[in-house]
Each structure stands twice: as C-alpha cells, then as structure tokens.
Amino acid sequence: MDRNDLIHILSTTDKAELKRIRREAEETLLRFCGNKVYLRGLIEFSNICENDCLYCGIRKGNSRVGRYFLAQERIVEAAFWCGKQGYGSVVLQSGERSDEKFITYVEKTVAEIKAQSRTRTLPDGLGITLSIGEQSEETYYRLFAAGAHRYLLRIETTNDELYKRLHPPGMRLSDRIQALEHLKQAGFQVGTGVMIGLPGQTVEHLADDLLFLKQRDVDMIGMGPYIVHHDTPMAAWDDANERTPQERFGLGLRMIAATRLLLKDVNIAAATALQAIDPEGREKALSWGANVIMPQITPTEVRREYQLYDGKPCLDESADICKNCLTIRIEGTGREIGYDSWGDSKHAINKRPQ
Ligand code: 5AD
C-alpha cells in the first residue's frame, strides 16, 4: 500500500471496486483483530475549554454554550454503570484545561475509578482512556501513574497549512506531534486521527495523514467526518460546505477501510460523527473495518451542552437505552461484543515484551 494506492481508495467511483475495498477491509479486520467489537463508555465530564479551534462547538469563544463540570461522584457512578454492563473500559473526555486544579481532579478521579472497579472478571479494574487534549509531558506521566492507560489526541490534519487555518495563531502542528510522542513515552497506548472532508482538504492530504499514522506507530485510530457547527467561525467560510455531508460520510468510510488495509491490527473507532450524518453510520463503519464503539454515558442533563458539531445523535436517550439500541445494532452486523475486557488493540498487545 503506497501513497498512490491510498489516493486511489479515497477517490475511485467504481462501484464494484468500492465493494471489493470494503470486503478486503472487513476480511483484514477479521484476520488480524477477530470478530469482537469493543465498547468504551464515553463520559464527557466537562465542556470548559481554553482553546478556540475554529471548527469546534465548545470552543472558548462560543458564549452560547452553558458550561458544566461534573462532580467526581457523577463520573465515578457513570464509570461503574459501564462496569456493570460489562463494557470493560471508559473514556473520560473534556474540553482542554491545563491548570493544576483540573489535572489533580482528573488524577483523583482516575485513581478512584481504578480503586473501586476491581472485580473477578476485571482484576485490574476498568480500563481508562483519557481524551483531555494537549498537556505537558509531566502531566502525561502523572495521568499514566494515576492509572489511565490509553489516550486519544487527534492530530486533526497533518497538513501544516490546513492546521494553521483551522486553529488560532498559538496552536502549532509541531506541538501536537510532540504531545503524541510524549504520550507514548509516558507509557500510554496512543490513539489519534483526523477530521475528514475539511474545507480545502484533498485526498492527497488524507493519504499523507494515513502515512503519518503508520509512521507514528499508533495503537488506536479515531476519525470522522467534519460537520459544521453553526456557532463557529468556520460555519461562515465560503468553502465550509464544499463537500456535501453524504460525500464526507462516504470519504469517512473509505478512510476507515484504507486505515484498516494499511495498519491492519490497530483498533479503529466507529465515530459518532458518522451517525450524525447517517442513522446507520456506526454499523456501516463496522463493516468497513472499524472495531470499537463508544456508547454515550454522559448524563443526559448536560449532554446537550457538549456539541462539537451540529446534529449530535442520541441527545435524550438514557445510557440504558443507548446500550440496548447498540447491542441490537452491533449484533445485527454479525459481530460479537467483547464484554468484560479492556479490548486493547492487537497492535499494542503484539508490541509488548513477551
Ligand atoms: N466536526 C467533526 N469533528 C469535530 N471535532 C471537533 N469539532 C468537530 C466538528 N465540527 C472533533 C475533533 C476533536 C474531537 C474531540 O472532536 O477532531 O479532536
């Protein structure tokens, strides 16, 4: 798989070929990772953010968002609920903050979940993934020491010019790359990914993004279509809608297949943003090579305030309803749910010293 092959997968319009690409991606997934789909309960514990990314609905500059911060008991309770359902791991996600109070809070919450969630089936407690943005190297060491073992930090795009256009002046692509390196050094299994169908983004850019993922030897991938949020500066760009949502969705599925064919044994999440465009988006992603789903566990009374893009699905459904709905959806694709396990990627497992 070289750059040209990737560009071809991302741009072919031949129906028979797209069918073949999908089938090969699915076969590669089954061969390298097996039939299981892993669930991570997603707890969006705060939408307070110091950053001002031009695409994001919870950017600091959006004064129409009601800001919230969940109490530790609520986060721990949501995590335990996941444990009871057999989800095996949780993702704690929030807006970006780097003050000491925030970091200590996350550390304590992680330690509390770890200490309280040990069971016979999960002797080391729930797996904890963090997704709280760019932090210092020292902070990453602290968070790992507290008991989190995976971290998601999207690179968003590896094209320097596009990265600059999407972010405020202080943010640099090189810092983001550095942060990914620090995460790895601190001991985390690292997940990253990009937004797909950004204004000005070409299939060549996306192919380069995929080669970056390979070069960085990452363990997990989370990527999904860019979706306009009406209260962001990007919504006013002339080219914000240069691709239709359907086009971005199609490109999203091809990106998943291309990633699976290129990287083989990593975990790939079926992004919720896919479902914001197509009601069966996540199931389709599973059949194009994804193997992780992140059900919504954020308490419904704050969920509405965590909208990164317009049309976020499942705003009112309780975690219970989400669980039933997802079980039916996943089993409908012929796959099996990997209960009571952290579900680390085969890539991370294969890298461990024997
Ligand atoms: N559309 C799609 N994805 C978005 N994200 C933020 N805003 C949007 C948007 N408007 C993604 C970014 C970020 C992740 C948490 O959510 O990739 O890293």
Side-chain angles (χ1 to χ4, degrees):
M1 290 277 282
D2 62 14
R3 188 169 183 267
N4 284 334
D5 296 327
L6 296 171
I7 293 172
H8 182 74
I9 291 176
L10 298 176
S11 46
T12 180
T13 50
D14 185 288
K15 284 223 168 90
E17 202 173 3
L18 281 170
K19 249 187 172 168
R20 185 180 56 78
I21 291 166
R22 190 207 68 74
R23 200 186 58 236
E24 278 181 15
E26 191 177 41
E27 281 168 8
T28 305
L29 165 71
L30 296 175
R31 185 158 77 242
F32 285 87
C33 305
N35 188 37
K36 288 200 170 131
V37 175
Y38 295 103
L39 304 179
R40 286 88 172 80
L42 174 63
I43 308 169
E44 296 149 331
F45 68 91
S46 169
N47 65 355
I48 301 172
C49 191
E50 287 165 358
N51 262 342
D52 229 1
C53 308
L54 277 73
Y55 43 84
C56 182
I58 64 165
R59 64 199 300 272
K60 176 174 71 178
N62 185 3
S63 55
R64 296 207 199 178
V65 177
R67 303 287 167 172
Y68 71 87
F69 198 97
L70 290 184
Q72 185 172 300
E73 306 85 79
R74 298 300 307 278
I75 307 174
V76 174
E77 185 192 347
F80 288 171
W81 184 89
C82 294
K84 264 202 217 106
Q85 313 309 314
Y87 284 5
S89 71
V90 293
V91 178
L92 305 185
Q93 188 178 83
S94 72
E96 220 168 291
R97 271 176 64 183
S98 52
D99 53 286
E100 180 53 36
K101 204 171 156 200
F102 175 76
I103 303 302
T104 318
Y105 188 87
V106 178
E107 251 180 342
K108 285 200 176 132
T109 310
V110 167
E112 178 73 13
I113 295 172
K114 284 309 271 189
Q116 305 289 333
S117 61
R118 296 197 166 90
T119 58
R120 205 162 41 83
T121 39
L122 280 178
D124 293 317
L126 283 164
I128 301 182
T129 307
L130 291 176
S131 176
I132 58 169
E134 267 178 52
Q135 304 287 347
S136 70
E137 185 175 11
E138 190 218 334
T139 298
Y140 288 149
Y141 274 91
R142 283 172 59 187
L143 296 169
F144 185 78
H149 84 290
R150 295 187 293 235
Y151 201 105
L152 306 175
L153 180 67
R154 287 192 182 176
I155 192 78
E156 316 297 0
T157 173
T158 59
N159 181 274
D160 206 23
E161 222 171 287
L162 187 54
Y163 192 93
K164 280 201 190 101
R165 199 178 164 215
L166 300 175
H167 296 101
M171 280 179 75
R172 287 202 305 256
L173 177 62
S174 55
D175 289 341
R176 188 63 64 102
I177 295 175
Q178 182 73 260
L180 289 172
E181 214 36 57
H182 288 157
L183 282 166
K184 206 193 285 182
Q185 254 146 42
F188 282 104
Q189 291 173 33
V190 178
T192 188
V194 296
M195 283 181 287
I196 301 158
L198 290 160
Q201 190 182 43
T202 63
V203 287
E204 285 79 12
H205 293 153
L206 290 168
D208 289 336
D209 292 341
L210 293 173
L211 293 173
F212 170 87
L213 301 178
K214 183 165 173 88
Q215 183 225 343
R216 291 282 146 179
D217 193 31
V218 294
D219 305 297
M220 303 107 68
I221 309 292
M223 55 189 178
Y226 162 66
I227 300 175
V228 176
H229 185 290
H230 62 282
D231 272 331
T232 56
M234 256 169 86
W237 290 5
D238 287 345
D239 55 353
N241 286 302
E242 71 182 355
R243 287 189 183 89
T244 63
Q246 282 315 321
E247 282 168 339
R248 278 177 261 143
F249 181 81
L251 206 46
L253 293 181
R254 289 150 184 258
M255 278 289 280
I256 290 176
T259 307
R260 179 56 69 201
L261 291 168
L262 182 70
L263 302 182
K264 302 199 167 54
D265 58 358
V266 296
N267 276 351
I268 303 179
T272 310
L274 288 165
Q275 206 192 330
I277 299 179
D278 180 324
E280 285 171 24
R282 289 189 292 186
E283 295 88 302
K284 287 184 186 163
L286 292 180
S287 78
W288 282 71
N291 65 332
V292 167
I293 285 191
M294 291 159 52
Q296 260 297 340
I297 311 299
T298 309
T300 40
E301 72 266 19
V302 294
R303 217 179 271 183
R304 234 164 243 292
E305 304 296 350
Y306 202 95
Q307 294 196 60
L308 310 180
Y309 45 80
D310 291 338
K312 177 180 180 176
C314 310
L315 279 181
D316 296 313
E317 280 81 354
S318 68
D320 268 313
I321 292 175
C322 280
K323 178 192 163 222
N324 293 333
C325 161
L326 262 180
T327 311
I328 294 165
R329 283 163 178 251
I330 294 168
E331 289 173 354
T333 65
R335 307 273 282 282
E336 199 187 313
I337 297 177
Y339 286 115
D340 289 317
S341 130
W342 288 0
D344 287 337
S345 74
K346 292 287 182 287
H347 190 75
I349 293 168
N350 294 340
K351 267 198 292 198
R352 275 178 208 149
Q354 296 305 312

